[in-house]
Amino acid sequence: MTLNFVHTICPYCGTGCGIDLIVKDGKIAGVEPVKFHPVNEGKLCIKGRYCFEFVHSEDRLKKPLIKKNGEFHETSWNAVLSVIVKRIKEYGDEIGFLASAKCTNEENYVLQKFARVSGTNNVDHCARLCHAPTVVGLGEAFGSGAMTNSIEDLEESKCILIIGSNTFEQHPLIARRILKAKEKDAKIIVIDPRKTHTAKFADVFLQIYPGTNVAVLNGIMNVILREKLYDEEFVEKRTRGFEEFAGPIEKYTPEFVSKICGVEPELIEKAARIYAESEKSAIVYCMGVTQFSHGSDSVKACCNLALLTGNVGRPGTGVNPLRGQNNVQGACDMGALPNVFPGYQKVTDEKARKKFEEAWSCELSGEAGLTVTEMIDEAGKSIKFLYIMGENPVISDPDVSHVEKCLRKLDFLVVQDIFLSDTAKFADVVLPACCWAEKDGTFTNTERRVQLIRKAVEPPGEALPDWKIVSMIAKELGLSGFDYSCAEDVFNEIRTVMPQYAGITYRRLGLRGIQWPCPAEDHPGTQILHTEKFATPDGLGRFTAVEFRESAEKPDDEYPFILTTGRIVFHYHTGTMTRRSEHLAGEVNECFVEMNPEDARRLGVGQGDCVKVKSRRGEIFARVRLGDIKRGVVFIPFHFAESPANRLTLCALDERSKIPELKVCTVKIENLKVEQKWQ
Ligand SMILES: Nc1nc2c(c(=O)[nH]1)N[C@H]1C(S)=C(S)[C@@H](COP(=O)(O)OP(=O)(O)OC[C@H]3O[C@@H](n4cnc5c(=O)[nH]c(N)nc54)[C@H](O)[C@@H]3O)O[C@H]1N2
Ligand SMILES: Nc1nc2c(c(=O)[nH]1)N[C@H]1C(S)=C(S)[C@@H](COP(=O)(O)OP(=O)(O)OC[C@H]3O[C@@H](n4cnc5c(=O)[nH]c(N)nc54)[C@H](O)[C@@H]3O)O[C@H]1N2
Ligand code: SF4
Ligand SMILES: [Mo]
């Protein structure tokens, strides 16, 4: 028997916990948390504990597949490469790419380079459905769209305001730090329509209606201004735009705001005083802030609040968007976005473009490309060929009936995945990729920590690392600059074009990783951003006036409930990985709709009953789960392909960031009375 321990990182959420995979005779037999890891300190959540269970699934993709007469047939790499290359040549720039926050930095770098060198900036990924408003809003206010402080640093805080984040279920090992802060007497404020596991630990809980964050945050700032609880010195020395911002706040009195968000004025006042009067206050936010047609405004309101009270640039403070996917921070850093090259250098900036033209020896387009949702909409029009690496939009995009219709209009669809996902079923060609345990590379977690992942086991069949597949296609097309022999080769190129990563080497990463910016090899990396000045052109933090706007759909007689969607602790997104895990699927394996008990009573339904949930886009079945959720609001997780929440959601976009409003749409609920099986 051979036994090996391979140090790597958990493949699920952006917390980035350090793990050792226990490899017995070439198969993963278990997981141990790394004791001295700076993020998880020897602890794991349940997903981390069982993160290896999908790796050796029988139904992993093992060979390239090609569709003929509606059926997939196994084929060789050579055959499939020549088909893809022939098609790419046919479509010129009518082509789009979806990169992947599940893949490594190296893989995302190679994919976006391939897209750009082939002449298009049509490259984007699931950050569009996630933290695109953070990249825009936090980017404008502070000059950088990344989490300002560190996970460990949260323990220093005296007040943590958690808005739109169910940290205890979605970032459990960050929640652990919040609990440690609470043990040291920090006050916890939670703003959420649901009394989540996170909200149960709150000292003050504001149970608002979905879509009313801007109102409640403006209300809090109204109290802070009125009671002169703000930090005048910070505002004067380190910010600009205060006057323009403060004027419009006047009308957001707690009484006015209370009517919009359904929370007592006294609670808003209480939250305002605790946040402003604590010596160090941190804001933690996630999808309950970003996934709205006004997502960028909510992010800016969070920034305004931190600037107003001088809660930036010190330990225990900051504005901390919790990045979702294991490598969504990295995929953004790598330029898997339509408007920026690696390192957030704008494609429209001539100097930046020249730099990349020189580095990659090619001509580059100076026009921003299309986003995920735009590429899907343009399918069959300006996009004829779509290449999807590690995303599953048929379950994860809003209004999936529309997505399916669009994918059918494509001339050619390539899907590169580890399983035959629901999206792969629409493909003309499916390419088998290695999963995280079968390759080397780096992930960048939510606190900007770049960390090594290491190959632990051999891939199934002929599956290859994503960077290798894309490089093979590029070379087959005759492009130069894709002769990488290993992931480290790619990383060494990344360092030369991205100042934030310039000082990072594989050797330096060791077991703890390094937090960017790290400009030189003797630089230790950066724990806290904006300590002396902001990353804006003039070094000042920028206030922006934001007004409350309503969500795209409002409840009416026909569709009386507000539906909000999200996650549970046991499952991950579209379920391709967690639903193949015996232990995780064993916990929860069917869709539910969380309802207020009083709403359920009026409908005549109870715990466990099967109901039909219907929106203007479609309908699904789910089982009733009673919970502490605002009256008139229901919650459905989007993990279950047989009852996809995204049949119901709509594609109303935030104008600035193009994120869809995944957290608010309206539905009706029908009591099926008789038990119906829907699978
Ligand atoms: N177990 C698990 N963990 C995950 C993931 C997963 O799929 N499963 N996914 C990862 C990813 S990619 C991401 S982005 C994160 C997401 O992590 P979270 O954002 O924490 O998760 P969600 O369930 O999408 O939504 C968070 C909260 O927003 C609340 N909410 C809804 N509407 C509003 C509103 O109008 N205002 C406020 N203040 N709150 C509102 C919801 O009730 C919910 O509690 O999780 C990451 N971690
Ligand atoms: N209604 C609703 N919809 C939502 C959300 C919501 O809150 N509500 N949240 C949104 C958010 S925040 C996000 S981030 C998105 C997530 O949306 P997606 O990224 O589409 O969801 P995942 O299930 O993570 O899909 C990842 C795919 O990559 C595959 N994969 C895993 N590892 C690898 C690998 O190493 N290589 C390759 N090639 N493939 C791999 C998986 O099998 C899976 O098919 O969903 C969004 N959709
Ligand atoms: S908190 Fe996230 S990274 Fe850590 S073990 Fe759980 S899923 Fe994995
Ligand atoms: Mo996400």
Side-chain angles (χ1 to χ4, degrees):
M1 188 186 81
T2 58
L3 189 66
N4 246 334
F5 286 76
V6 181
H7 180 76
T8 189
I9 302 300
C10 174
Y12 285 122
C13 87
T15 306
C17 295
I19 55 174
D20 281 323
L21 291 176
I22 306 166
V23 184
K24 234 190 233 172
D25 294 331
K27 295 259 186 261
I28 309 176
V31 171
E32 283 287 336
V34 175
K35 209 162 181 184
F36 300 105
H37 194 270
V39 172
N40 53 313
E41 297 179 322
K43 308 277 189 290
L44 282 180
C45 80
I46 188 163
K47 281 187 305 308
R49 170 68 59 209
Y50 297 113
C51 70
F52 63 96
E53 288 191 328
F54 70 85
V55 175
H56 302 301
S57 291
E58 273 305 302
D59 61 345
R60 281 284 305 277
L61 292 169
K62 299 180 190 76
K63 281 186 76 110
L65 304 176
I66 190 156
K67 201 182 261 167
K68 280 190 193 133
N69 302 324
E71 298 233 346
F72 284 119
H73 298 273
E74 289 189 349
T75 182
S76 67
W77 275 110
N78 275 344
V80 90
L81 288 183
S82 58
V83 172
I84 295 173
V85 163
K86 185 170 155 262
R87 291 301 197 132
I88 292 182
K89 282 184 180 153
E90 265 171 49
Y91 297 118
D93 61 0
E94 291 173 320
I95 164 169
F97 294 84
L98 301 192
S100 174
K102 293 240 76 66
C103 290
T104 63
N105 286 324
E106 292 74 5
E107 292 167 335
N108 281 288
Y109 177 83
V110 171
L111 187 75
Q112 64 79 39
K113 177 175 171 183
F114 175 50
R116 297 197 149 108
V117 173
S118 353
T120 181
N121 284 319
N122 293 338
V123 57
D124 200 12
H125 71 289
C126 69
R128 187 67 50 204
L129 312 174
C130 186
H131 271 295
T134 298
V135 176
V136 170
L138 198 57
E140 279 179 14
F142 295 178
S144 160
M147 187 167 162
T148 61
N149 289 44
S150 296
I151 294 170
E152 189 184 352
D153 178 78
L154 276 172
E155 264 183 54
E156 301 293 310
S157 191
K158 291 292 163 217
C159 165
I160 303 176
L161 188 158
I162 305 171
I163 174 162
S165 157
N166 185 2
T167 328
F168 282 66
E169 291 201 59
Q170 270 72 79
H171 295 89
L173 271 294
I174 296 181
R176 174 175 166 262
R177 302 287 181 169
I178 295 174
L179 273 186
K180 286 179 98 179
K182 190 174 162 81
E183 278 164 16
K184 294 192 253 173
D185 286 336
K187 292 276 180 284
I188 312 295
I189 303 167
V190 172
I191 307 181
D192 202 297
R194 301 161 51 221
K195 189 159 186 182
T196 57
H197 286 296
T198 312
K200 288 181 190 145
F201 290 91
D203 297 282
V204 185
F205 173 41
L206 307 183
Q207 193 166 22
I208 61 169
Y209 284 115
T212 63
N213 290 323
V214 170
V216 77
L217 289 167
N218 280 354
I220 288 174
M221 290 186 273
N222 176 288
V223 176
I224 293 173
L225 284 167
R226 193 183 65 198
E227 300 187 2
K228 299 223 163 18
L229 299 175
Y230 60 99
D231 185 337
E232 266 177 276
E233 194 186 332
F234 189 92
V235 168
E236 192 181 315
K237 290 204 176 123
R238 296 208 45 195
T239 71
R240 69 192 166 93
F242 175 76
E243 298 300 329
E244 299 86 320
F245 143 80
I249 295 284
E250 267 173 40
K251 68 170 174 293
Y252 291 90
T253 60
E255 294 70 27
F256 173 67
V257 166
S258 166
K259 291 195 194 89
I260 299 172
C261 56
V263 175
E264 294 299 306
E266 294 73 29
L267 272 183
I268 297 171
E269 283 169 356
K270 192 169 173 193
R273 290 179 196 131
I274 293 176
Y275 177 85
E277 285 175 344
S278 122
E279 169 204 340
K280 300 180 236 179
S281 295
I283 298 174
V284 165
Y285 76 82
C286 207
M287 295 302 101
V289 162
T290 56
Q291 290 175 332
F292 300 90
S293 56
H294 39 75
S296 304
D297 287 350
S298 307
V299 171
K300 284 182 188 161
C302 290
C303 297
N304 287 341
L305 177 58
L307 289 174
L308 184 64
T309 51
N311 275 309
V312 196
R314 289 180 290 126
T317 68
V319 177
N320 299 294
L322 303 183
R323 286 309 195 105
Q325 292 256 34
N326 54 317
N327 196 35
V328 65
Q329 180 66 54
C332 291
D333 298 348
M334 294 304 125
L337 296 168
N339 61 335
V340 288
F341 295 120
Y344 306 96
Q345 304 171 70
K346 289 200 166 72
V347 298
T348 47
D349 174 355
E350 192 138 349
K351 236 174 85 195
R353 204 163 64 242
K354 282 259 143 56
K355 170 178 157 177
F356 281 94
E357 285 181 340
E358 239 161 69
W360 296 340
S361 317
C362 64
E363 254 182 60
L364 293 169
S365 159
E367 207 180 302
L370 301 177
T371 62
V372 171
T373 33
E374 288 168 341
M375 280 188 248
I376 302 273
D377 278 347
E378 280 298 306
K381 295 182 242 164
S382 72
I383 299 286
K384 301 278 183 352
F385 177 116
L386 191 62
Y387 192 113
I388 303 181
M389 167 176 95
E391 295 223 330
N392 194 4
V394 162
I395 307 292
S396 60
D397 274 15
D399 191 0
V400 288
S401 309
H402 172 69
V403 175
E404 290 167 347
K405 214 182 316 157
C406 291
L407 291 186
R408 284 197 192 95
K409 287 190 202 151
L410 287 167
D411 282 12
F412 205 72
L413 173 64
V414 180
V415 172
Q416 180 172 316
D417 206 293
I418 57 176
F419 292 108
L420 192 69
S421 66
D422 287 85
T423 303
K425 290 175 190 154
F426 284 77
D428 296 284
V429 160
V430 179
L431 305 176
C434 289
C435 80
W436 108 109
E438 298 149 357
K439 59 195 175 192
D440 295 323
T442 54
F443 289 162
T444 305
N445 81 347
T446 183
E447 51 171 3
R448 299 167 273 104
R449 188 182 298 276
V450 184
Q451 310 194 85
L452 281 175
I453 63 155
R454 293 174 178 85
K455 178 171 173 175
V457 289
E458 290 301 325
E462 296 175 22
L464 291 171
D466 291 274
W467 64 265
K468 200 161 204 168
I469 300 173
V470 179
S471 305
M472 276 170 20
I473 298 171
K475 284 199 282 192
E476 184 84 12
L477 255 175
L479 300 176
S480 62
F482 291 88
D483 268 321
Y484 306 109
S485 62
C486 59
E488 190 172 4
D489 259 7
V490 182
F491 192 85
N492 286 335
E493 179 175 321
I494 294 171
R495 295 180 56 206
T496 62
V497 295
M498 268 181 70
Q500 297 92 329
Y501 282 55
I504 304 177
T505 63
Y506 268 28
R507 193 182 47 75
R508 283 194 73 200
L509 285 175
L511 296 182
R512 297 177 62 84
I514 294 177
Q515 285 172 280
W516 68 256
C518 177
E521 278 192 49
D522 58 359
H523 189 284
T526 311
Q527 275 201 313
I528 304 177
L529 300 180
H530 319 304
T531 47
E532 304 291 325
K533 59 183 174 68
F534 287 93
T536 49
D538 61 6
L540 297 175
R542 201 175 114 186
F543 281 106
T544 324
V546 283
E547 297 279 6
F548 166 72
R549 284 185 288 134
E550 282 180 333
S551 291
E553 268 191 341
K554 280 199 295 275
D556 53 24
D557 289 344
E558 203 185 348
Y559 295 96
F561 287 97
I562 299 178
L563 166 69
T564 188
T565 61
R567 304 156 161 78
I568 59 171
V569 67
F570 306 112
H571 284 294
Y572 203 80
H573 294 164
T574 65
T576 59
M577 297 154 85
T578 48
R579 294 192 78 191
R580 283 182 173 83
S581 155
E582 188 193 330
H583 285 88
L584 298 171
E587 294 283 349
V588 176
N589 208 17
E590 66 179 9
C591 190
F592 64 85
V593 50
E594 184 178 304
M595 296 183 75
N596 182 291
E598 183 53 28
D599 288 336
R601 195 187 60 76
R602 286 184 180 219
L603 273 175
V605 295
Q607 181 84 359
D609 284 354
C610 184
V611 292
K612 188 194 268 181
V613 188
K614 208 167 171 180
S615 80
R616 288 184 176 84
R617 271 78 44 201
E619 60 185 44
I620 63 169
F621 297 96
R623 230 175 253 290
V624 172
R625 185 189 275 195
L626 302 179
D628 191 344
I629 183 166
K630 198 99 182 144
R631 287 280 315 269
V633 181
V634 296
F635 168 81
I636 302 180
F638 76 106
H639 307 302
F640 303 97
E642 64 282 8
S643 277
N646 281 323
R647 275 264 168 249
L648 307 171
T649 53
L650 86 171
C651 198
L653 298 183
D654 176 32
E655 208 180 300
R656 291 294 314 283
S657 67
K658 312 281 187 202
I659 196 172
E661 191 144 66
L662 294 163
K663 287 280 184 273
V664 179
C665 74
T666 59
V667 293
K668 66 171 137 192
I669 295 179
E670 290 172 12
N671 181 354
L672 292 179
K673 294 205 177 70
V674 256
E675 172 81 359
Q676 252 189 24
K677 209 73 192 128
W678 64 88
Q679 281 169 18

